Amino acid sequence: MEYKFDFTSIIDRVGHDAMAVEGLGLSPGFAPDAPKEGFSPIPMWVADMNFATAPSIPEAIIERVRHPLYGYFRTTDEYYQAIIDWHRDRKGVTDLEKKHIGYENGVLGGVVSAANVLASRGDNILVHSPTYIGFTMCLENNGYNLVHSPLVKDEQGVWRMDFEDMERRIAENHIHLAIFCSPHNPCGRVWERWEIEKAMELYRKYDVYVISDEIWSDLIMPGYTHIPTQSVSEDAKMRTVALYAPSKTFNLAGLIGSYHVIYNDWLRDRVDKESSLAHYNDINVLSQHALIGAYSETGRAWLDELLTVLDGNIRYACEQLTTRFPGVKISRPQGTYMLYVDLTDWCAAHGKTLDEVLKAGWDAGVAWQDGRMFHGPCHIRLNLALPFSLVEEAVERMDKYVFNAE
């Protein structure tokens, strides 16, 4: 397949503020170790992409930068309309209005603001495990207790919610707030409509409000469809704070800029008030233009090609890891560009610890991520948003220096 956009060039990120490469070895316990001499790093840990973003984004930023005044400004109608059009065309949402949209510096900041409105410090909050480390850090840092309901794999190896376990934990722990991750990070599940409906009906039964993190909702692999949590029922619409951003889709995390969608007037007023209290949750003018550039026709075309590239990377990596390294187990992600790799059987068969496997990869420049931060006892998290040639190189290094090392 011929691509209009460049997904093959290997871009040198050293000296350009990239945590993915410049953070190696600097945060033991969080970041991978730097590779040994003679190995170039292959960044496969923190969830950002190693592709040049859609050209419409730097074009929009540069056009604004050419105007030499950067003073106070108002968020434009064009910004809100870009979001409304995106949700209509890419997610099938037809009732979104400007008043439902609120800026957030980041999704996790939005999670905290909504949690502060919907819970009291010390309250129990339901999450599914494996659990995104960002939820763990931001909610525990703000004094909340996380109650984990484990996802379970069905006969086909697909991660599923355990509704009986969820109900028991909600009832026993007097829970009135849940975090819903859709698509799920780190497992990569794209929930089916019936699954979301059943979860939301359970939350309605126990009067549980929902914070739905849908930051990955544009990165859905072919054959699957993202169902916005708020779309499954009128009750779901009114009890849910949904959080979105162009940052995962277009690799814009360094520019800052997310947004919430809240239909419930009572809830939206209070989240807006909570978000305002620090007087530090204001949009950056360049972030505004970046979003407009991202949600343009060029951005849409770029994303369509990106999804084909990611799907190819995922299929290749899953096939190679499970066939070349018996005992390695992967539930192929339906969304996101992250693999959540289970090494339990492989480590047991080879008498290795997860620490030994991680270190062997890091030494050879395979900068994969410790899955224990996500509540996976013997798991690795692997970023596949990089040129295919690097994915191939990473697999070869895994073979030679990790799984079949002499």
Side-chain angles (χ1 to χ4, degrees):
M1 176 178 177
E2 282 194 24
Y3 292 106
K4 177 180 177 182
F5 304 101
D6 181 9
F7 296 101
T8 59
S9 293
I10 299 173
I11 300 172
D12 184 4
R13 303 183 70 180
V14 175
H16 295 281
D17 317 303
M19 180 190 293
V21 292
E22 297 190 337
L24 298 177
L26 299 182
S27 301
F30 175 70
D33 291 347
K36 287 186 174 180
E37 187 175 348
F39 290 99
S40 60
I42 303 176
M44 306 183 82
W45 63 294
V46 66
D48 76 0
M49 293 190 284
N50 292 275
F51 304 120
T53 193
S56 52
I57 295 170
E59 287 169 5
I61 294 171
I62 291 167
E63 181 63 28
R64 177 60 186 87
V65 168
R66 285 197 178 103
H67 190 282
L69 293 172
Y70 313 106
Y72 296 109
F73 72 101
R74 293 182 62 83
T75 310
T76 64
D77 287 341
E78 185 183 6
Y79 168 85
Y80 292 105
Q81 194 61 48
I83 294 172
I84 291 168
D85 292 347
W86 185 265
H87 282 249
R88 181 194 64 224
D89 299 339
R90 307 291 298 200
K91 306 179 194 299
V93 175
T94 59
D95 58 357
L96 184 60
E97 301 176 27
K98 176 181 175 180
K99 69 177 183 179
H100 302 137
I101 303 165
Y103 174 79
E104 299 285 354
N105 275 339
V107 162
L108 293 180
V111 168
V112 170
S113 291
N116 288 346
V117 168
L118 295 168
S120 296
R121 304 297 170 89
D123 272 0
N124 297 319
I125 297 176
L126 186 74
V127 296
H128 291 114
S129 62
T131 309
Y132 169 46
I133 187 175
F135 297 150
T136 306
M137 292 191 301
C138 77
L139 291 169
E140 290 184 349
N141 189 44
N142 277 273
Y144 298 106
N145 301 318
L146 298 189
V147 175
H148 299 264
S149 178
L151 301 176
V152 294
K153 288 185 180 180
D154 65 13
E155 296 80 5
Q156 287 73 45
V158 177
W159 293 96
R160 301 283 183 183
M161 288 179 272
D162 184 339
F163 296 105
E164 290 184 5
D165 182 81
M166 289 166 62
E167 182 165 15
R168 178 178 62 81
R169 292 177 191 274
I170 289 170
E172 290 180 355
N173 294 282
H174 308 287
I175 288 172
H176 290 283
L177 178 61
I179 306 296
F180 192 69
C181 194
S182 179
H184 187 273
N185 177 20
C187 295
R189 262 309 312 279
V190 175
W191 305 114
E192 299 172 48
R193 178 177 290 275
W194 72 266
E195 293 175 294
I196 304 174
E197 289 175 343
K198 191 167 183 177
M200 294 308 296
E201 182 58 27
L202 184 60
Y203 296 143
R204 184 200 63 77
K205 177 180 178 180
Y206 288 92
D207 197 22
V208 176
Y209 280 90
V210 177
I211 301 172
S212 185
D213 173 10
E214 304 187 33
I215 194 172
W216 290 98
S217 60
D218 296 317
L219 296 171
I220 307 297
M221 296 304 105
Y224 301 95
T225 301
H226 173 71
I227 307 297
T229 303
Q230 292 165 318
S231 71
V232 300
S233 70
E234 185 63 24
D235 182 79
K237 178 181 293 185
M238 302 306 287
R239 72 170 57 251
T240 301
V241 173
L243 294 159
Y244 298 92
S247 55
K248 285 290 179 282
T249 312
F250 295 96
N251 215 38
L252 304 181
L255 280 173
I256 309 300
S258 306
Y259 55 93
H260 67 235
V261 172
I262 309 175
Y263 289 94
N264 184 321
D265 293 340
W266 176 92
L267 181 53
R268 185 175 63 252
D269 287 346
R270 281 150 183 80
V271 172
D272 285 343
K273 177 63 175 178
E274 180 68 27
S275 296
S276 76
L277 294 178
H279 294 269
Y280 205 63
N281 193 48
D282 295 318
I283 190 170
N284 180 295
V285 67
L286 299 185
S287 177
Q288 172 179 256
H289 286 273
L291 180 142
I292 294 169
Y295 287 176
S296 66
E297 289 304 315
T298 299
R300 295 172 186 223
W302 180 90
L303 175 57
D304 290 340
E305 289 193 359
L306 170 71
L307 293 175
T308 302
V309 172
L310 294 179
D311 186 53
N313 286 359
I314 289 169
R315 289 177 182 275
Y316 173 82
C318 288
E319 178 185 0
Q320 292 294 310
L321 268 62
T322 54
T323 57
R324 292 171 65 164
F325 316 132
V328 171
K329 294 183 178 179
I330 304 170
S331 179
R332 186 161 69 88
Q334 302 165 350
T336 83
Y337 49 70
M338 308 299 297
L339 286 191
Y340 199 55
V341 183
D342 185 351
L343 299 182
T344 304
D345 290 349
W346 189 92
C347 285
H350 293 82
K352 298 285 187 178
T353 66
L354 180 62
D355 286 318
E356 289 172 322
V357 175
L358 285 166
K359 182 60 175 171
W362 294 344
D363 285 349
V366 179
W368 47 23
Q369 191 169 34
D370 188 341
R372 287 172 295 195
M373 290 182 282
F374 300 81
H375 295 265
C378 194
H379 290 67
I380 284 174
R381 188 170 179 251
L382 198 62
N383 179 342
L384 295 176
L386 62 170
F388 182 69
S389 62
L390 285 181
V391 178
E392 289 183 304
E393 174 64 22
V395 171
E396 294 306 317
R397 293 189 197 180
M398 292 178 203
D399 191 334
K400 184 174 182 180
Y401 300 106
V402 183
F403 295 113
N404 290 315
E406 296 180 358

